[in-house]
Amino acid sequence: KIKSKFQSSIKSIMLIGSPANINRYVHEYGQFFYFKIMLEYNIIKTLKDNNLRVLYKVHPDRKKEIDGLFNEFVDEYLIEPFEKCWNKADRLIFTDTASTTFGFSLATNKQITLLDHNKDNENKRVKDLIKKRVSIVDVHVNQDQKFTFSDQDLLNSLKEVKDIDFKSLL
């Protein structure tokens, strides 16, 4: 457990929920819902342990399935489309890049953190561009096939401010 509480101008963080269904997506490693739900729970716990306000953005196709899962852990469940609620948080957290929401977020003025576990078939050029815009926290898979990350790395990423000068990203 982290001894000191997080100090920052950040008042709220939106965790973008994954599509919690029984499909095993193959476009990114670890896309089975059980692993993602456990990762999201651990992110929420770290943020809440450090007195941060957490908004959970429910995937629009999974409102029924995910309702109630994190209600007692987060400050607010966001059901409306991302395009209508992205500005409710000071920072956005993603656990993958495969959604249209991630692409939309890159074009906003929000700071973004990505918990990155996609080590397979990485495109170095794309990764270098994303690093200019997004704070990245490395995620590893432990012996139980569960995602692990450093709480301190996550908290440090929230303090990181990336340049949002879109010309510099070209």
Side-chain angles (χ1 to χ4, degrees):
K1 188 159 181 161
I2 297 168
K3 293 179 182 163
S4 62
K5 296 297 179 191
F6 185 75
Q7 300 295 317
S8 172
S9 61
I10 294 175
K11 294 179 180 57
S12 61
I13 296 170
M14 185 184 301
L15 173 59
I16 312 305
S18 63
N21 61 43
I22 61 170
N23 296 328
R24 292 179 184 256
Y25 297 107
V26 295
H27 56 274
E28 284 192 23
Y29 179 77
Q31 288 285 20
F32 183 47
F33 81 95
Y34 174 75
F35 302 123
K36 295 295 269 197
I37 293 298
M38 291 304 299
L39 174 59
E40 290 175 358
Y41 171 77
N42 289 326
I43 293 168
I44 292 167
K45 184 171 178 354
T46 298
L47 299 174
K48 293 303 293 177
D49 284 351
N50 285 276
N51 297 326
L52 290 163
R53 179 172 162 73
V54 179
L55 292 69
Y56 184 81
K57 174 59 187 97
V58 177
H59 190 282
D61 294 337
R62 297 292 165 240
K63 292 184 284 193
K64 185 176 179 182
E65 294 88 346
I66 204 78
D67 189 33
L69 188 61
F70 293 129
N71 289 34
E72 67 183 77
F73 303 109
V74 299
D75 297 292
E76 189 175 347
Y77 249 47
L78 301 171
I79 305 292
E80 65 266 31
F82 181 75
E83 294 77 9
K84 293 184 179 181
C85 67
W86 64 270
N87 57 356
K88 289 185 176 184
D90 298 316
R91 189 167 196 111
L92 307 173
I93 295 181
F94 286 85
T95 61
D96 66 63
T97 61
S99 74
T100 55
T101 301
F102 184 75
F104 180 97
S105 298
L106 292 174
T108 71
N109 63 352
K110 294 294 177 191
Q111 293 293 315
I112 301 168
T113 292
L114 170 66
L115 278 87
D116 184 33
H117 54 82
N118 188 17
K119 305 301 180 208
D120 298 331
N121 302 317
E122 276 189 353
N123 181 323
K124 183 169 172 18
R125 184 178 180 291
V126 170
K127 182 76 169 233
D128 289 345
L129 285 171
I130 287 175
K131 282 182 177 179
K132 289 182 180 182
R133 173 69 177 89
V134 176
S135 299
I136 296 181
V137 175
D138 286 328
V139 173
H140 307 281
V141 178
N142 69 15
Q143 66 275 9
D144 296 323
Q145 298 301 302
K146 294 179 183 167
F147 293 122
T148 62
F149 62 92
S150 160
D151 290 349
Q152 194 60 58
D153 287 351
L154 175 59
L155 296 173
N156 288 343
S157 80
L158 301 178
K159 296 174 185 175
E160 199 173 28
V161 177
K162 294 287 185 166
D163 186 15
I164 306 179
D165 174 14
F166 294 105
K167 290 179 186 174
S168 71
L169 299 176
L170 301 175

